[in-house]
């Protein structure tokens, strides 16, 4: 099937204070548990039931952890005023990383070779790590991360054309971080952006290598259906 990465936007709640955010986290975990419990009752496949049972156990642990944090939370004294331009810049980059996460996760779901899956999952995880670091910097400045769903163009698995598009996306991301390194004055942000810039360069190179191997594999050996006999 075709994996859907759509979200229910109204279910994503951030909050204006630590206590409100943690309360929303508890509520979200409770809702997830309810959904998985209902699915557990409806699903007949034993392997899926075992998976759902394990996930429910994880969600219960998450709920307990958020409840413990909420109980121990001392009300914050005042709020930091968001640093407008820096928060805006960081959110621009966070949205870029979010798009890369979704694009490469989609490839991972639909790719058919171990090499394609390994490449796409590694890049998705590293992009998610970038996203987390950018979100932390936003929080430090009193802002809130923009977690609205970015526009993406998904296709099933990799093709030479899709790989070329992904390479261009990674190169644009690299160039964007390079521009921001020159623009910002904050030394910590300069270091972070430079570090991520090198990652984006590595991602583009890794995808280029995959494209090169794909082309060597397909030259002269494709039938009309696009498959090579082995």
């Amino acid at each position: 099937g075709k994996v859907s990465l759509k979200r229910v936007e109204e279910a994503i709640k951030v909050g204006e204070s630590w206590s409100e955010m943690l309360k929303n986290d508890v509520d979200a975990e409770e809702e997830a548990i309810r959904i998985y419990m209902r699915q557990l009752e409806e699903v007949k496949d034993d392997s899926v039931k075992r998976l759902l049972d394990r996930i429910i156990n994880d969600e219960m642990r998450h709920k307990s952890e958020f409840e413990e944090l909420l109980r121990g939370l001392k009300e914050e004294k005042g709020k930091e005023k968001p640093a407008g331009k820096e928060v805006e810049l960081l959110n621009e980059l966070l949205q870029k990383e979010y798009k890369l996460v979704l694009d490469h996760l989609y490839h991972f779901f639909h790719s058919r070779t171990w090499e394609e899956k390994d490449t796409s999952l590694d890049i998705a995880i590293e992009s998610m790590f970038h996203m987390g670091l950018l979100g932390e910097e936003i929080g430090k400045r009193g802002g809130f991360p923009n977690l609205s769903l970015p526009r993406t163009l998904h296709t099933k698995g990799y093709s030479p054309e899709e790989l070329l598009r992904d390479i261009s996306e990674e190169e644009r991301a690299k160039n964007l971080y390079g521009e921001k390194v020159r623009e910002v004055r904050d030394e910590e942000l300069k270091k972070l952006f430079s570090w991520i810039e090198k990652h984006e360069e590595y991602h583009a190179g890794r995808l280029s290598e995959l494209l090169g191997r794909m082309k060597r594999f397909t030259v002269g050996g494709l039938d009309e259906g696009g498959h090579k006999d082995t």
Side-chain angles (χ1 to χ4, degrees):
K2 186 175 181 180
V3 177
S4 172
L5 295 176
K6 294 180 180 179
R7 306 185 314 181
V8 183
E9 292 296 328
E10 57 268 24
I12 299 177
K13 300 175 182 177
V14 181
E16 296 298 327
S17 66
W18 284 114
S19 57
E20 188 178 347
M21 282 189 279
L22 286 170
K23 178 63 169 63
N24 289 338
D25 290 335
V26 172
D27 293 342
E29 295 296 342
E30 289 178 344
E31 178 62 17
I33 292 168
R34 282 194 292 270
I35 292 172
Y36 286 125
M37 290 291 288
R38 187 177 70 247
Q39 292 173 345
L40 186 62
E41 294 176 357
E42 297 174 354
V43 170
K44 306 300 180 184
D45 186 282
D46 287 339
S47 64
V48 177
K49 290 176 78 71
R50 283 193 294 273
L51 175 61
L52 289 170
D53 188 59
R54 194 216 73 187
I55 294 174
I56 290 169
N57 183 60
D58 289 343
E59 301 295 6
M60 287 180 172
R61 178 177 174 82
H62 299 162
K63 176 176 175 285
S64 176
E65 289 173 342
F66 285 130
E67 287 174 334
E68 184 177 346
L69 287 170
L70 186 58
R71 284 193 295 270
L73 182 67
K74 294 180 179 179
E75 281 301 320
E76 54 195 3
K77 297 179 180 179
K79 292 184 180 179
E80 295 181 25
K81 185 178 180 181
K85 289 186 177 180
E86 286 186 349
V87 168
E88 185 178 337
L89 167 60
L90 287 162
N91 265 318
E92 176 189 352
L93 296 171
L94 182 143
Q95 275 283 301
K96 181 69 173 178
E97 294 295 341
Y98 195 1
K99 181 180 184 301
L100 292 173
V101 170
L102 295 176
D103 282 339
H104 290 290
L105 276 180
Y106 201 84
H107 289 318
F108 172 69
F109 296 145
H110 289 293
S111 293
R112 297 190 177 187
T113 70
W114 69 265
E115 186 175 24
E116 292 174 9
K117 285 184 173 294
D118 189 47
T119 301
S120 55
L121 185 59
D122 282 352
I123 296 177
I125 290 171
E126 289 179 5
S127 299
M128 193 178 299
F129 186 49
H130 300 164
M131 189 177 167
L133 292 174
L134 294 167
E136 285 183 331
E137 291 298 330
I138 292 170
K140 287 178 185 177
R141 288 158 174 76
F144 290 91
N146 175 12
L147 297 177
S148 59
L149 193 66
R151 294 183 64 182
T152 56
L153 178 62
H154 300 305
T155 59
K156 282 193 172 184
Y158 281 123
S159 67
E161 295 77 19
E162 185 72 6
L163 271 171
L164 282 170
R165 185 179 69 84
D166 288 338
I167 292 168
S168 295
E169 284 287 327
E170 294 290 347
E171 289 176 343
R172 279 195 290 270
K174 171 188 175 297
N175 293 336
L176 180 61
Y177 280 105
E179 292 173 9
K180 302 311 177 186
V181 168
R182 294 187 291 273
E183 290 178 11
V184 298
R185 296 182 179 180
D186 186 298
E187 289 300 320
E188 289 302 313
L189 288 185
K190 281 182 178 289
K191 291 178 183 178
L192 176 61
F193 294 169
S194 295
W195 182 74
I196 297 178
E197 180 187 7
K198 293 299 291 183
H199 276 210
E200 306 298 358
E201 182 179 8
Y202 171 73
H203 294 167
R206 190 166 175 186
L207 290 168
S208 296
E209 290 174 359
L210 181 60
L211 176 62
R213 285 191 287 273
M214 182 181 290
K215 285 183 174 179
R216 287 198 297 274
F217 177 78
T218 57
V219 168
L222 292 176
D223 58 23
E224 291 182 359
H227 301 284
K228 182 177 179 179
D229 295 329
T230 56

